Amino acid sequence: MAEKYGTPDQLKGKKGWENFWYYYKWHTVAGAFVAILLAVLIHDIATKEVYDATVFMASDSYLSDEQAEQLCLKLETYVGDYDGKQGVNIELGQANFPKDIETGDPNLVMAASTRFSATLLEDTTVFLVDDSQYAKLLGEDLLMDLTERYPELELEDPYRIPLAETDLADGIQGLPEDLMVCARRKDGMQKSDTEKVAAHYQYQLGLLDGIILGAGN
């Protein structure tokens, strides 16, 4: 043991450090790396922005940064602060598909599909979708009949309303013309019978009311 680590005199000062580094260099480097990763993880968790709700867009169209910001600012006028922590904070999530899913980059298709599917595992209620992604939601029997909540609206399709005809689109230029607003039924969510999901669902229905009818409806 003494031959490996040195005598007590050899473990002091510069000699001791050199001896330690010789035997424990990679242990020390690995330990420092793990410590840095933990520090970054803790920082990310502590500073991660928590949203009151997410409106999710799944489409082959793209929004400019300015359009996305305008939509978020307008969405935040429709509802109050859900969790009472950071003020009203609504996220606009996006899954961008290629124009032609059959011939488009399969990596882009996979990334967008994965993100969209992951969102459906959450309690997100309001969606902005094109025809292709609308068909996916409709085929999975997830959508609410909007005419039941808004009987005053004359909709050709009871499960969707063109974004261009909503209050949300009013005043925002150049939005994709094919986007539709639709909403998920509560029974189409996981754990839909829990108080937490039920309360958040009602909050998101208030958001939907604002999108379609405007603030203060």
Side-chain angles (χ1 to χ4, degrees), residues 8-136:
D9 289 339
Q10 291 175 324
L11 297 178
K12 296 179 180 178
K14 181 180 179 180
K15 185 67 175 179
W17 168 249
E18 291 175 348
N19 196 60
F20 173 84
W21 186 248
Y22 178 80
Y23 288 108
Y24 293 106
K25 175 171 60 178
W26 297 116
H27 299 77
T28 304
V29 170
F33 181 72
V34 171
I36 292 172
L37 284 180
L38 287 174
V40 171
L41 178 61
I42 292 171
H43 177 270
D44 287 347
I45 293 174
T47 60
K48 181 180 180 181
E49 198 162 13
V50 178
Y51 295 98
D52 291 310
T54 295
V55 172
F56 198 83
M57 173 180 158
S59 168
D60 60 12
S61 301
Y62 288 81
L63 299 176
S64 68
D65 291 342
E66 181 180 1
Q67 289 172 326
E69 182 178 2
Q70 288 179 314
L71 287 172
C72 284
L73 289 174
K74 198 162 186 180
L75 287 167
E76 291 170 357
T77 67
Y78 296 143
V79 287
D81 183 4
Y82 181 72
D83 57 15
K85 294 180 179 179
Q86 299 175 330
V88 183
N89 196 3
I90 305 298
E91 177 189 30
L92 180 63
Q94 296 187 56
N96 298 114
F97 291 84
K99 289 291 184 182
D100 189 332
I101 293 180
E102 296 298 326
T103 61
D105 185 336
N107 292 322
L108 293 179
V109 175
M110 178 63 72
S113 298
T114 299
R115 187 167 189 197
F116 193 18
S117 297
T119 299
L120 294 177
L121 295 177
E122 301 170 355
D123 69 352
T124 299
T125 298
V126 183
F127 295 88
L128 309 179
V129 293
D130 60 15
D131 284 340
S132 176
Q133 302 313 313
Y134 169 72
K136 172 183 174 64

Side-chain angles (χ1 to χ4, degrees), residues 125-175:
T125 298
V126 183
F127 295 88
L128 309 179
V129 293
D130 60 15
D131 284 340
S132 176
Q133 302 313 313
Y134 169 72
K136 172 183 174 64
L137 294 176
L138 192 63
E140 295 186 14
D141 192 25
L142 296 175
L143 298 179
M144 66 180 289
D145 184 339
L146 295 175
T147 60
E148 293 181 358
R149 187 170 182 85
Y150 311 105
E152 69 276 22
L153 299 181
E154 297 181 1
L155 301 178
E156 293 183 8
D157 183 336
Y159 298 103
R160 62 180 178 177
I161 178 172
L163 176 62
E165 297 178 10
T166 68
D167 183 83
L168 178 60
D170 188 31
I172 302 179
Q173 302 298 318
L175 291 174

